[in-house]
């Protein structure tokens, strides 16, 4: 695969000089590329192999068949990795695909990706293609169908430009995942997201699957912006990987069909804000963060929620867009800087480079691509304060440099 030939000179864009350089970056004599250019560069490096191969009907040929060393079912994990990588990649880059903003180089890159995505989806939904993806092979596909649904919710452009035949096939495929009973955990939200997709685009949807998820998550709210992922609380990143972003999106959609969630939506909004404050404070001065809990190989997706709040322009008043940009930039740099992050162009299983022991039993080659969710703010135009405002220190940098700084208190949001 000669990826360089398909960039159409976009490399030049990455070399443009700009002044928006965050505090975590090393000082050099020459100016570095802007934060936005850096983000685009990293996004392109991460997702191009996936979408280029899928658009050429060669994903199954090119994608490594990698699973965790402790996999629970190697053959099945490999079977589902293709839908897994598609749903996760598209969910993360969907806001950028939706955007029309940018200079000529960025617009050219976006058009490349739009073309690859539409061709790739056509291949994935066509049973005559080598990259055809069934949605009814295993319960994990309920998870990844929901990320694909999330992509279409975040980027209506995808739906508007998908062919009628592909639309029919997609809707049918999403509905087949109803055969899987979700686990009594954050999985309830995967079922709800699929129904929210159907609801958004005017298809028959099941309000009970949505209501069950919403009501059960309310029962699992434990306080200070945090939910338990099931009956027992665990200190991991699933509040960010799934719970907060899913609750925000689902309630926004179903509230347009019913007023039954108005009161709950207000609670969710306030909890979203509180958890965003907590997330920003968890980013250390160098972009590291506590490596606790399962699914650490999702890397930057540990801050899916913070990125989602920034993209939706829903950050609380305590957080400025610029400080969040700089904090997330530091996370991107740290989680992707290891020489072993990529192997032959594909993400390795690990949080800092290749770390097989950190992978969980359910991980495969598609799993780490949830990392793309940190790129959600690329869906904001370059003129938005998130990108245009001068760099700012984030909370950890201010605190650990000795600046006087407001204290933090838990909030009762039951």
């Amino acid at each position: 695969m000669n990826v360089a030939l398909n960039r159409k000179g976009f490399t030049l864009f990455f070399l443009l000089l700009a002044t928006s350089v965050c505090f975590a970056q090393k000082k050099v004599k020459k100016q570095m590329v802007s934060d936005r250019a850096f983000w685009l560069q990293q996004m392109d490096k991460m997702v191009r192999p996936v979408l280029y191969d899928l658009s050429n009907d060669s994903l199954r040929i090119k994608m490594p068949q990698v699973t965790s060393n402790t996999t629970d079912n190697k053959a099945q994990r490999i079977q589902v990795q293709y839908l897994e990588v598609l749903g996760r990649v598209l969910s993360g880059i969907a806001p950028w695909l939706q955007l029309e903003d940018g200079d000529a180089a960025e617009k050219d890159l976006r058009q490349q990706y739009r073309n690859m995505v539409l061709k790739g989806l056509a291949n994935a939904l066509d049973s005559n293609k080598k990259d055809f993806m069934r949605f009814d092979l295993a319960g994990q596909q309920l998870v990844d169908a929901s990320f694909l649904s999330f992509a279409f919710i975040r980027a209506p452009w995808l739906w508007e430009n998908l062919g009628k035949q592909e639309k029919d096939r997609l809707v049918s495929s999403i509905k087949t995942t109803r055969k899987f009973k979700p686990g009594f955990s954050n999985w309830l939200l995967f079922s709800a997201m699929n129904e929210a997709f159907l609801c958004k685009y005017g298809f028959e949807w099941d309000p009970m699957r949505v209501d069950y998820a919403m009501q059960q998550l309310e029962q699992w709210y434990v306080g200070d912006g945090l939910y338990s992922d099931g009956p027992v609380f665990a200190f991991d990143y699933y509040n960010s990987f799934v719970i907060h972003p899913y609750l925000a999106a689902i309630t926004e959609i179903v509230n347009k069909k019913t007023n039954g969630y108005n009161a709950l939506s207000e609670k969710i909004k306030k909890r979203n804000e509180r958890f965003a404050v907590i997330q920003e404070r968890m980013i250390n001065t160098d972009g590291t963060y506590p490596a606790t809990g399962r699914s650490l190989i999702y890397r930057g997706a540990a801050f899916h929620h913070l990125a989602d709040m920034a993209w939706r322009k829903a950050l609380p008043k305590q957080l400025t867009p610029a400080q969040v940009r700089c904090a997330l930039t530091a996370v991107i740099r740290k989680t992707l800087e290891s020489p072993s992050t990529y192997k032959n162009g594909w993400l390795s299983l690990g949080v800092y480079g290749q770390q097989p022991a950190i992978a969980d039993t359910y991980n495969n080659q598609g799993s780490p691509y949830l990392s793309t969710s940190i790129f959600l703010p690329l869906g904001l135009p370059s003129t938005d304060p998130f990108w245009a405002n001068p760099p700012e220190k984030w909370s950890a940098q201010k605190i650990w440099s000795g600046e006087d700084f407001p204290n933090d208190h838990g909030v009762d949001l039951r």
Side-chain angles (χ1 to χ4, degrees), residues 10 13 16 36 40 96 98-111 114 378-384 387:
F10 188 70
F13 171 71
L16 294 176
R36 187 176 182 88
L40 285 167
W96 180 69
Q98 180 69 26
L99 191 66
E100 299 295 341
D101 177 76
D103 63 14
E106 183 174 343
K107 287 181 178 179
D108 177 71
L109 184 72
R110 185 182 296 111
Q111 190 58 49
R114 285 177 170 180
L378 284 172
L380 296 170
S382 57
T383 55
D384 187 89
W387 298 109

Side-chain angles (χ1 to χ4, degrees), residues 39 310 315 321-322 324-326 328 377-378 380 383-389:
W39 283 43
L315 291 172
V324 172
R325 180 190 82 233
C326 290
L328 292 178
L378 284 172
L380 296 170
T383 55
D384 187 89
F386 183 90
W387 298 109
N389 283 4

Side-chain angles (χ1 to χ4, degrees), residues 54 56-58 60-61 119-134 165-166 169 173:
L54 182 60
N56 284 282
D57 199 22
S58 59
R60 290 181 184 273
I61 297 172
K119 289 178 183 177
L121 285 169
N123 290 336
L125 296 167
D126 185 348
S127 60
N128 294 312
K129 298 294 185 178
K130 293 189 288 292
D131 282 338
F132 173 61
M133 300 180 189
R134 289 177 54 183
Q165 187 176 54
E166 285 73 29
R169 289 171 174 171
S173 296

Side-chain angles (χ1 to χ4, degrees), residues 269-287:
K269 178 179 180 294
K270 292 177 180 177
R271 294 166 185 171
N272 286 164
E273 293 176 349
R274 174 56 186 159
F275 188 57
V277 171
I278 293 173
Q279 281 232 292
E280 191 269 351
R281 286 183 176 240
M282 292 179 71
I283 300 174
N284 208 343
T285 57
D286 61 350

Side-chain angles (χ1 to χ4, degrees), residues 10 13-14 20 22 25 33-46 92-93 96 109 303 306-308 310-311 321-333 336 372-380 386-387:
F10 188 70
F13 171 71
F14 294 139
S20 179
C22 288
Q25 300 173 7
V33 296
S34 71
D35 293 334
R36 187 176 182 88
F38 171 71
W39 283 43
L40 285 167
Q41 184 183 46
Q42 296 305 311
M43 181 202 73
D44 183 49
K45 181 178 181 179
M46 187 180 294
I93 71 170
W96 180 69
L109 184 72
F303 300 95
L306 187 59
D308 184 61
W311 167 60
Q323 78 182 83
V324 172
R325 180 190 82 233
C326 290
L328 292 178
T329 300
V331 172
I332 293 170
R333 287 188 181 279
L336 300 180
T372 60
S373 60
I374 200 171
F375 297 124
L376 292 174
L378 284 172
L380 296 170
F386 183 90
W387 298 109

Side-chain angles (χ1 to χ4, degrees), residues 113-161:
Y113 271 91
R114 285 177 170 180
N115 292 338
M116 286 192 290
V117 167
L118 292 178
K119 289 178 183 177
L121 285 169
N123 290 336
L125 296 167
D126 185 348
S127 60
N128 294 312
K129 298 294 185 178
K130 293 189 288 292
D131 282 338
F132 173 61
M133 300 180 189
R134 289 177 54 183
F135 286 56
D136 61 348
L137 296 172
Q140 174 64 33
Q141 295 190 296
L142 171 62
V143 178
D144 297 305
S146 82
F147 281 112
L148 187 57
S149 292
F150 209 169
F152 278 86
I153 286 170
R154 283 171 164 164
W157 185 94
L158 288 173
W159 181 256
E160 294 161 3
N161 288 274

Side-chain angles (χ1 to χ4, degrees), residues 249-265:
I250 292 168
T251 53
E252 181 179 355
I253 292 167
V254 298
N255 276 346
K256 295 176 181 178
K257 299 289 183 178
T258 173
N259 59 8
Y261 297 102
N262 289 342
L264 182 57
S265 293

